[in-house]
Amino acid sequence: MIDREKMKERHRRWSRAHPERANAIMRRASQKYKAAHREEIKKRERQRRLARQDDPEYRRKKAAQSAAWRRADPERAKRSERVARLKTRFGITEQQFEVMVRLQGGGCAICGKAPKSRRLAVEHDHVTGRVRGAVCHFCNRYRIANNNVTTARRVLEYLESAFDARTL
């Protein structure tokens, strides 16, 4: 009969000597287990989540951990929040946003200027959610803010009109 402690020690030594292989074996075993027990795992996670959401002590603890993480690495936290906001609010990834900006020539989709102090904003249709492009703060705030296709056509007609009040 094999001594369990000796067997465990032999396994630990092998794992330390071959970390890549050991990790690959563990990863495959974990994926296999998760695939075989998917519904059971989901059910346990849902129960844990429901139990925790009403626990004020747990919420305080998580808030403190999040605050500490943001203080420890503010740049990473800022990027993480931006990635999450792009995905949840606009349904795009950071890579899709970067490609969109590159396709626009690296600047605002309306005025063409490259951003100076602020990042380009995601310009989207508030009704349909369609992402139209990336625009600078000025264009987003003042050129698009309260306009729609109808008012844009009126502005274009106004600007192209031959009216001159000096001839009245």
Side-chain angles (χ1 to χ4, degrees):
M1 188 164 172
I2 298 173
D3 183 16
R4 281 183 79 73
E5 290 304 315
K6 285 182 182 178
M7 196 168 77
K8 283 182 182 180
E9 184 54 40
R10 201 170 93 206
H11 175 71
R12 280 190 208 104
R13 274 196 308 254
W14 183 87
S15 294
R16 276 189 237 115
H18 306 91
E20 295 87 16
R21 287 175 60 193
N23 286 340
I25 290 169
M26 290 302 292
R27 196 171 22 259
R28 279 194 302 274
S30 176
Q31 288 169 346
K32 203 172 177 180
Y33 177 84
K34 286 177 181 178
H37 300 89
R38 181 168 281 128
E39 290 305 315
E40 182 184 327
I41 292 168
K42 278 184 180 180
K43 184 179 176 183
R44 274 198 314 260
E45 287 174 353
R46 197 174 6 226
Q47 287 171 340
R48 269 192 224 117
R49 203 171 35 252
L50 289 172
R52 288 179 180 160
Q53 76 181 11
D54 295 328
D55 182 4
E57 183 58 36
Y58 175 79
R59 293 177 70 103
R60 273 194 296 277
K61 181 179 162 186
K62 289 307 276 182
Q65 286 174 345
S66 292
W69 179 77
R70 282 193 301 276
R71 279 193 307 275
D73 197 348
E75 286 302 313
R76 185 173 172 204
K78 197 174 188 180
R79 184 174 179 278
S80 177
E81 288 167 2
R82 177 164 174 73
V83 167
R85 190 171 40 253
L86 283 171
K87 194 65 178 169
T88 57
R89 191 179 292 174
F90 306 113
I92 62 173
T93 64
E94 186 178 31
Q95 290 77 21
Q96 287 173 311
F97 179 79
E98 289 169 4
V99 168
M100 181 174 61
V101 171
R102 243 192 331 269
L103 290 173
Q104 295 175 185
C108 174
I110 295 172
C111 69
K113 293 180 184 174
K116 292 179 182 169
S117 59
R118 292 180 177 213
R119 291 186 97 128
L120 293 174
V122 177
E123 205 288 299
H124 66 289
D125 186 322
H126 288 254
V127 176
T128 65
R130 181 175 70 98
V131 175
R132 295 184 279 229
V135 296
C136 67
H137 174 71
F138 184 83
C139 288
N140 195 35
R141 182 83 171 101
Y142 301 107
R143 291 190 174 134
I144 300 174
N146 297 316
N147 292 319
N148 55 36
V149 175
T150 307
T151 58
R153 284 191 183 116
R154 285 186 194 148
V155 169
L156 186 60
E157 287 173 17
Y158 169 76
L159 291 173
E160 291 177 337
S161 75
F163 176 76
D164 186 352
R166 296 175 299 178
T167 60
L168 295 177

